Amino acid sequence: MDELVRQALREGRLTVAGGGPAALYTPWAAGFEKQYPGITVQVRGAFSNQLVADIDRQLDSGAPSVDVAILQTPQDFARWKAAGALLQTDIAAAEHLAPDWRDDDGRYLPIGVFGLGYGYDPRQVAAGQVPRSAAGFTGPRWRGRVISTYSHEDDVTLYLYSMLVEQHGWSFIDQLLASSPQFVNGHLGIAQGLAAGTAAVSFDHIISLGAADRRAGRLAFTSPAEDPMPVWPQNAAILDGSPSPAAAKLFLRWLLEPDQQNAIAQGGAWSPRLDIAPPPGLAPLAELNVANGFRAFITRTADAQDYRDRFAALIGPVTGPEYR
């Protein structure tokens, strides 16, 4: 047992703030607790922008209660790194990470690479009926049957919608809204809506969500045939002032080991490691038509806000429960 493990066991606890549904992270927490009995992991799941605001308050106080932040907001990791608010990870597995995803200074690490693909209910829709492009989701047969998150609430969907406007023009948004799509507050709501049969298709589905429903035949996904597919890393970092820094470092080291990375890939996310196979049924990212410009887009703050404001005016206020 090495010194890091001994220190982590002495700390005995770990708090993880994870962007998105807590269900994404609870299997990791359970697996880590099984591997290292004596360390209890608490998971806080919420939308990334909500967690960021809370983490900022904790960092300002000088005594954060969160050890590890795992979020989809690259702009915040860059901001925290510049402010000296992130500890160096020093994870040996970082040398196996694709250069496109890793931070050269090791202040944050990608845990998985996620994509927004096309989700559908296979009980209602045959694979061959899924549109090849987002423009196809505005056709008459899909009226009232398309589901999406609110683009002005979720940064990744904001990036997706901005790309679709660039690809198909603002007329795409007009045609989409004329076809009465369903809007929900959170990507988990998309997976649940498709699995429940209350919606039929989505061009805004995080393909790693809903693994149990996929196995049960209630949910399926495919990558876009014609439009680029947005992809982004879910980054992880240890906050400066973490109450359990050894447990946090051990957790990140464990998450980047091949066993855990293979499990993440089996769940529908690509591993940032170069030596791990892609998710079942999907090609390696290098062979797909992907859009890897999320970080550049979201850090152009004024441009992103312009899109957010315009989509908010067109779609209307966010309503309904939060799915997380």
Side-chain angles (χ1 to χ4, degrees):
M1 185 182 297
D2 63 25
E3 182 58 26
L4 178 63
V5 175
R6 283 191 287 269
Q7 291 175 4
L9 288 171
R10 282 196 294 269
E11 292 168 349
R13 59 179 293 277
L14 176 67
T15 300
V16 176
L24 282 174
Y25 306 98
T26 49
W28 300 351
F32 184 72
E33 288 177 341
K34 183 177 180 181
Q35 179 76 26
Y36 297 103
I39 303 175
T40 301
V41 182
Q42 179 185 11
V43 173
R44 301 178 185 173
F47 295 135
S48 287
N49 55 3
Q50 296 172 341
L51 291 171
V52 165
D54 184 46
I55 289 170
D56 280 339
R57 287 190 291 269
Q58 293 182 35
L59 289 172
D60 287 343
S61 75
S65 59
V66 166
D67 299 294
V68 174
I70 306 179
L71 306 168
Q72 70 178 38
T73 53
Q75 70 274 26
D76 294 305
F77 288 99
R79 176 170 59 86
W80 290 329
K81 173 184 170 179
L86 303 179
L87 298 182
Q88 196 135 23
T89 52
D90 297 324
I91 307 296
E95 66 186 35
H96 297 291
L97 301 180
D100 285 351
W101 307 117
R102 68 183 183 220
D103 171 48
D104 290 339
D105 297 327
R107 296 292 173 173
Y108 51 90
L109 296 164
I111 298 304
V113 179
F114 294 80
L116 282 179
Y118 293 174
Y120 62 99
D121 174 4
R123 299 161 300 183
Q124 300 184 58
V125 182
Q129 296 174 322
V130 178
R132 295 177 57 82
S133 163
F137 288 80
T138 64
R141 74 177 299 165
W142 306 120
R143 183 175 181 83
R145 304 174 72 196
V146 175
I147 189 169
S148 171
T149 56
Y150 289 94
S151 52
H152 45 294
E153 175 67 14
D154 186 278
D155 284 350
V156 169
T157 299
L158 181 69
Y159 174 51
L160 167 66
Y161 273 56
S162 73
M163 287 173 43
L164 295 177
V165 166
E166 292 175 9
Q167 186 95 352
H168 304 291
W170 282 100
S171 61
F172 164 76
I173 303 298
D174 295 335
Q175 292 164 10
L176 176 68
L177 296 179
S179 68
S180 302
Q182 303 173 37
F183 286 101
V184 292
N185 193 7
H187 282 99
L188 183 60
I190 293 175
Q192 291 179 351
L194 294 172
T198 56
V201 289
S202 178
F203 54 84
D204 182 28
H205 172 56
I206 296 180
I207 58 181
S208 59
L209 291 179
D213 288 315
R214 290 200 306 271
R215 291 191 294 268
R218 296 185 291 264
L219 176 63
F221 67 80
T222 185
S223 55
E226 296 177 3
D227 294 336
M229 180 174 65
V231 296
W232 72 96
Q234 200 86 342
N235 287 311
I238 304 169
L239 302 181
D240 186 30
S242 155
S244 303
K249 186 176 291 187
L250 184 63
F251 181 66
L252 294 188
R253 188 177 76 176
W254 177 82
L255 271 179
L256 285 171
E257 289 174 354
D259 285 350
Q260 281 62 250
Q261 287 294 301
N262 277 310
I264 287 171
Q266 288 294 313
W270 288 266
S271 171
R273 289 185 60 131
L274 295 169
D275 54 351
I276 302 296
L282 290 170
L285 287 172
E287 298 176 13
L288 292 172
N289 180 17
V290 300
N292 182 18
F294 174 56
R295 177 174 178 172
F297 167 79
I298 205 63
T299 52
R300 294 196 304 271
T301 308
D303 291 344
Q305 189 60 47
D306 285 345
Y307 273 114
R308 189 176 287 111
D309 292 343
R310 186 161 179 181
F311 289 133
L314 290 170
I315 296 170
V318 176
T319 62
E322 294 182 357
Y323 292 90
R324 59 183 185 179

